Every structure is written in C-alpha cells, then in structure tokens.
Amino acid sequence: MTNRDSGGAMVSLGGAPPLKKGLLCCLFLVLLSALAAVAQANTVHETWDISYQFAYPDCMRKLAVTINGHTPGPTIRAEQGDTVVVTVKNSLLTENVAIHWHGIRQIGTPWADGTEGVTQCPVLPGDTFEYAFVVDRPGTYMYHAHYGMQRSAGLNGMIVVSVPPGAGNADVAEPFKYDGEHEVLLNDWWHKSTYEQAAGLAAVPLVWVGEPQSLLINGHGRFVNCSAMAESGACNATHPECSTPVFAVVPGRTYRFRIGSMTSLSALNFEIEGHPMTVVETDGHYVKPFVVKNLNIYSGETYSVLITADQDPNRNYWLASNVVSRKPGMPTGTAVLTYYGGRSSPRAVPPTTPPVGPAWNDTTYRINQSVATVAHPAHVYTPPPRSDRTILLLNSQNKIDGRIRWALNNVSFSLPHTPYLVALKDKLHGTFDPRPPPETYNHTAYDVYGVQANPNATSSDGLYRLEFGSVVDVVLQNANMLAANNSETHPWHLHGHDFWVLGYGVGRFDPAVHPATYNLRDPILKNTVAVHPYGWTALRWRADNPGVWAFHCHIESHFFMGMGVVFEEGIERVGKLPQEIMGCGSSKGGHH
C-alpha cells in the first residue's frame, strides 16, 4: 500500500528587530523561495505486512518471505528530497525482521538504516515498526532484509528516486534523455530454506549452499527440472508467478533500463539481445557514458543503461542473465523484449537461443569494465588528494574451531547482541569488544596466490572508530581460499556513505607503489564495488555521516560467515535515539 502527500512548513520572524522596507522585501522573497522548495518535498507512505507465503518464482513451490503477499516487494517511487515512511508489520510468527534501504545514506537518521545488530534491534514477531528517511539524491537503489539470511528468501525490492519535475539546476538535471523506462531486478534462487543453508554454513564439516537452482528476472524464472517434479505437484510450469517477464518498447524510442542485482551469491552478466547498452548511472551517480554489449553486475550494485528500439520490430528479443566468476550450475535467466505494433506476439519465444555472455572465468574482461566506469565529466566530485588514515584489509578464508569462516586480517566478524548504535550512544559498556580489529596485515610477505600455512583465525565484534570528518582509505585485498587455485569475486557494500573507487589491481597491493596509480581525476562514486579474484580495490571516503555503519561482502553466505567490519564516526553528534530500535541485549527495557 502506497500513498503520497505534500509537506508543509511555517516560518516565524518572532523576536526579530524592525527591518527597513527594502530589506524586508528581499527577505520576504527569500522566504517565499524557501517555502516553495519545501512545498515541493512530499512524504511517500508505504504499509507493508511481512509474512511467509507459498510462492512459485521458478515454478517450484517454496515458502518465501513476502511483502503484502508478493516477492519481490513493491518498487518505492519518490522524488529527490522526499521523505519515505514505511510501516512494517512482522507477521512471520517465528522470525525477527530488519530491512535495509540499500544506497540511501540515512543522513540524520542512522537508526533507520535497518541493520540488525548495528543500528537497531530486530522487529519482533507481531510487532510493527516505522522506518522514516529522506531520499536526498536521485538514482536507482534497492531494499532488502538485513536479518539472518532472509534476503535470499525473497524480502527485497527496488527504490527509484527521480529528479523533481522542472529541475533546471545542472547539478540535479540528468545528463541524458530518454522516452520511457523499465526496471530489472536480478536475483538467484534456491529451493532449500535459509534455515537449512545457515545450518550447513555453521556445520563441521561445512555444507555449502551450492549453486542456485534458478536465475530470476523481476522475480520470475524457470526451474530446468520442473517436469520431473510436476506429478508430485511441487512444480507447476503454468503457474503465473513463473511466467516470462515481458518488456515492451515503441520503435525508434530510447529507453532507460534501471538494473539492480539482489543476488545472494552470483555475479551476473546482463544482456539485451541485439541492443547495445549505454551505461549512464551506477549506484545513484552519473557515469561517463560508454557502450557495452553486455553488463557485468555484482550483488548490491545498480546501473542505468540506455537502449534505442531500432531493431526489427516484427520479432522478439531475449533479455539474458548469466553467471560469471563462478562456473554456472543453472541455465540462463531470461525475459523477453517486444516491440509495440510488431507482428510477433508479446509472449512469443524469440527465434534465437538466449545469449550466453562472456566466458565465466574471463576476469580481465570484467576488470576492464570496472575500470571503464568513471564519473560523468559534468558530475565529477573530486576526492581529497590524500587520506588521513589507511586501512588494509586482507580478505581470506579461515577456520575457527574447525568451522570454515571468512576473515579480515585474520579476524572473523560477529554481530553483538546489543546494536552498536544503541551501545555507543547510550554508553552501555561491555556490549562488544572494545579492542579495534587490526588495520593491516603482513602485506610485504603474504602470498595472495598460495594456500595459508596456518588458516586459524579469531572472532571479534570489535569495530573501527573514525575521527569525524577525516578522510579514510580502505584497500580490500583478495587472496586464495582454503582450496588451491581458487579465489572468488567479492562485492563490498558500505552503509551510510558513497566512496570514490580509486583503483583496481591484480596481485598483492603495495602501499609504497600502487597509490601513485590512483584515479584522482574522475573516479566514480559508488556504495558497492567488486574485488576481483587475486586482486585489490582501493576506496576513499570522508567520515562525515554521524552513526555506525556496516561494511561487508554482499554475498549473503559470506557475510553470515564473518566477511564484514563496522565503522563508527561522530557518535556524539547523533540525535536522541528512538525507543523503538531498542529492546535486545543490554537495551532490554527500552523497547516500547
């Protein structure tokens, strides 16, 4: 349920001294301008009931976490400057809930970030919770569960923030034109429950989640073995929930496709058959346009691409989603592009086979596309020339008490029972390890291509405390896993901030050499970025958003297994915390 209303404001000059007529007139015009700007801002209301429902995303029946009975959930549509208010009722009966608004920086509302254990206690079964935040920048964003592994059970959707009508400011107006738009939410899908997956990840020996059974586009896919399960009623190939999505275009017009990846494991390559794509936006920031046949997109990333409907209108074309960086274990995810007025039925199968994309293990191809993504010339926000602090994070696979874990600098992350934001703001001592995690590793000697001689790590819920306003560099270093000749792609997402992507490299990062290669001229700003196999990625941001912010791999199982850290900055500047975010750990008794 969604509705939208206009905001209002009242301006008082009570207590002001008498003003000269000219000055009063000038001030009156300024106030009128301010009131007009405020009047343009609206409040977007959403009312959601979160519940388990039987769903058929790939024709196979499975319990899914739904919003108002559906997965994916509704797209939130707002304009820049609007306030979004989402009232969430948790009807899961046996599970808690928290929802993260992915890419929304939560300036002034850190408690609305929706990260259980970091910014809030989870919403208990039967409880209702209200998220309220301002969408301060246009672009393409997403939302998803941030409790346990519920994201991979279906609790996710898109957020589209548009430029206010008539916006003429060059800093606001989009640097490209189009006639219409479509949204494409990419996902992967398992038939095992998240409980089974989590139990396997914590087991000795490890029971890996395995490759997904299907790839979904806007929540629709096709399980390849459906016919074998049809007799039992477990799979229904004619169920409307798994019907092929159709995207319609008018010949000669240009369309914006807003693409988001909400995968739990898979890195994807996306293609619209026969239609070159011009990349124009990523994670809410404008890109120096470049043309691709297909687009590599990692979990947590969003892109906007433009296509022109200039092909033969009398046939249909594939939209194709393929796995890269891992050996694919499922068929291509597909949808259909159809032309209005053409002779082909909108749901007719295209006359070709679906595109298979580039070779899944072509890392160079994917790195080159990452490097090509830089800021639009008219929208370059130059980073500070140097940082005040550099944190080197070695991303490795380890063991703790025989259990396979992921670790940063040999420390595997665990969430505390009391959210950091509550503990720090209300000075609740003893709720997490006060010792900060290590800021570096033996980068001069560590062999990123070799298997660790001693894989044992430690676990901690300590966090990094950043000086407010300081400039921070983080370099993420990828390494070999416990198995020889094996390194994976890791998409890293930072809450509460956008960061400049300064550079990528292959092999071991050298802090005495590689910073000289950083792109300080036109780096793209993002909130999620890939760290490629055996490679490094360098980021920079300013710690100027008071709060406590998670930074983690966006692969669901990897974060569950410890691949993350937390940053605190300016906690003393955070306003009074809402009572509703409390009620767990040492904050029990503060929940109303």
Side-chain angles (χ1 to χ4, degrees):
M1 175 181 175
T2 308
N3 62 74
R4 178 184 179 92
D5 59 57
S6 299
M10 180 177 293
V11 179
S12 171
L13 296 179
L19 298 171
K20 292 183 179 179
K21 183 177 180 181
L23 182 59
L24 182 61
C25 178
C26 182
L27 180 59
F28 180 70
L29 291 175
V30 171
L31 290 175
L32 280 179
S33 177
L35 283 169
V38 172
Q40 289 180 357
N42 295 281
T43 300
V44 176
H45 294 278
E46 295 271 347
T47 302
W48 291 355
D49 187 80
I50 311 298
S51 67
Y52 267 113
Q53 301 288 337
F54 282 111
Y56 294 79
D58 67 347
C59 305
M60 187 79 175
R61 184 181 66 228
K62 181 192 170 182
L63 274 178
V65 181
T66 66
I67 298 175
N68 298 337
H70 299 284
T71 177
T75 297
I76 296 176
R77 301 183 187 280
E79 293 175 1
Q80 180 183 15
D82 283 355
T83 296
V84 174
V85 178
V86 183
T87 303
V88 172
K89 181 183 179 183
N90 180 6
S91 296
L92 292 179
L93 302 180
T94 60
E95 288 185 47
N96 300 331
V97 162
I99 300 178
H100 170 55
W101 315 97
H102 187 108
I104 307 301
R105 293 177 292 179
Q106 301 294 347
I107 298 172
T109 53
W111 47 80
D113 189 54
T115 315
E116 181 266 336
V118 179
T119 61
Q120 72 167 95
C121 293
V123 185
L124 302 177
D127 278 5
T128 298
F129 185 89
E130 185 176 275
Y131 291 97
F133 51 88
V134 173
V135 289
D136 65 299
R137 190 180 60 246
T140 308
Y141 309 100
M142 298 180 289
Y143 63 84
H144 58 82
H146 220 295
Y147 178 82
M149 296 176 66
Q150 287 174 346
R151 171 162 64 92
S152 61
L155 207 174
N156 50 67
M158 297 192 74
I159 304 172
V160 173
V161 182
S162 59
V163 175
N169 189 326
D171 291 331
V172 177
E174 294 173 324
F176 47 85
K177 302 291 185 182
Y178 53 96
D179 303 303
E181 67 176 49
H182 291 288
E183 298 151 30
V184 180
L185 184 62
L186 305 175
N187 219 326
D188 44 15
W189 191 250
W190 282 259
H191 295 161
K192 283 186 177 180
S193 72
T194 56
Y195 285 115
E196 292 176 276
Q197 293 186 24
L201 295 174
V204 179
L206 174 81
V207 181
W208 177 238
V209 298
E211 300 306 309
Q213 275 68 61
S214 304
L215 297 177
L216 308 182
I217 296 179
N218 286 356
H220 298 251
R222 288 274 167 173
F223 177 43
V224 68
N225 292 324
C226 186
S227 58
M229 315 282 290
E231 189 172 336
S232 67
C235 199
N236 180 359
T238 63
H239 200 285
E241 288 182 14
C242 60
S243 61
T244 302
V246 176
F247 298 84
V249 295
V250 174
R253 294 188 178 178
T254 297
Y255 288 85
R256 177 182 190 170
F257 278 72
R258 297 179 183 264
I259 309 163
S261 175
M262 195 50 72
T263 56
S264 295
L265 174 65
S266 310
L268 298 176
N269 180 272
F270 176 77
E271 182 171 340
I272 303 177
E273 181 192 13
H275 294 73
M277 298 182 289
T278 302
V279 181
V280 294
E281 178 235 344
T282 182
D283 291 2
H285 292 279
Y286 301 128
V287 172
K288 181 179 180 180
F290 65 100
V291 179
V292 296
K293 178 184 179 183
N294 45 57
L295 176 73
N296 300 305
I297 182 167
Y298 306 95
S299 176
E301 287 190 313
T302 64
Y303 284 91
S304 286
V305 300
L306 302 182
I307 71 161
T308 300
D310 57 2
Q311 300 300 302
D312 179 3
N314 295 312
R315 56 154 292 192
N316 290 343
Y317 300 85
W318 291 109
L319 279 72
S321 171
N322 287 287
V323 169
V324 290
S325 186
R326 304 179 65 87
K327 190 172 183 178
M330 78 300 297
T332 300
T334 58
V336 169
L337 182 79
T338 190
Y339 278 70
Y340 283 113
R343 291 196 296 269
S344 183
S345 167
R347 294 194 176 276
V349 174
T352 53
T353 57
V356 297
W360 69 269
N361 55 356
D362 189 348
T363 303
T364 301
Y365 176 81
R366 291 183 287 112
I367 292 176
N368 289 341
Q369 203 168 94
S370 293
V371 171
T373 307
V374 296
H376 190 283
H379 295 268
V380 173
Y381 301 95
T382 306
R386 60 189 59 84
S387 67
D388 302 305
R389 182 176 178 181
T390 298
I391 299 174
L392 305 182
L393 295 177
L394 172 68
N395 191 59
S396 60
Q397 198 176 52
N398 296 70
K399 288 187 176 182
I400 298 177
D401 297 329
R403 289 177 170 83
I404 294 179
R405 300 280 295 176
W406 287 95
L408 286 309
N409 297 347
N410 226 42
V411 176
S412 187
F413 176 70
S414 58
L415 281 168
H417 295 297
T418 306
Y420 294 105
L421 182 64
V422 177
L424 289 166
K425 184 63 180 176
D426 290 353
K427 297 180 172 58
L428 303 177
H429 300 293
T431 57
F432 62 88
D433 191 339
R435 297 168 298 178
E439 298 199 10
T440 189
Y441 65 101
N442 188 5
H443 57 79
T444 60
Y446 192 90
D447 179 10
V448 299
Y449 294 99
V451 177
Q452 290 195 59
N454 178 11
N456 293 318
T458 59
S459 179
S460 173
D461 57 8
L463 80 169
Y464 296 99
R465 306 196 72 167
L466 308 177
E467 182 180 349
F468 187 75
S470 64
V471 177
V472 182
D473 278 6
V474 168
V475 182
L476 292 157
Q477 173 70 64
N478 211 342
N480 198 86
M481 297 166 61
L482 290 177
N485 304 313
N486 195 354
S487 182
E488 296 184 351
T489 301
H490 299 288
W492 275 77
H493 170 57
L494 178 61
H495 294 225
H497 293 277
D498 296 322
F499 47 70
W500 288 280
V501 183
L502 301 185
Y504 301 88
V506 178
R508 186 175 64 209
F509 176 81
D510 187 341
V513 175
H514 289 125
T517 69
Y518 286 173
N519 175 17
L520 300 178
R521 182 182 65 260
D522 59 354
I524 191 66
L525 279 159
K526 286 177 64 61
N527 62 63
T528 305
V529 71
V531 187
H532 296 286
Y534 298 112
W536 56 265
T537 302
L539 318 173
R540 177 172 294 174
W541 75 88
R542 193 180 296 277
D544 58 0
N545 189 9
V548 186
W549 309 108
F551 181 48
H552 60 93
C553 179
H554 211 256
I555 293 175
E556 193 84 317
S557 53
H558 289 183
F559 184 43
F560 180 86
M561 297 168 69
M563 197 187 295
V565 298
V566 170
F567 298 105
E568 176 275 322
E569 60 201 53
I571 192 69
E572 69 283 352
R573 298 169 181 256
V574 174
K576 181 177 174 58
L577 301 181
Q579 292 288 326
E580 290 76 14
I581 69 170
M582 305 176 192
C584 58
S586 296
S587 72
K588 287 179 179 176
H591 186 70
H592 299 287

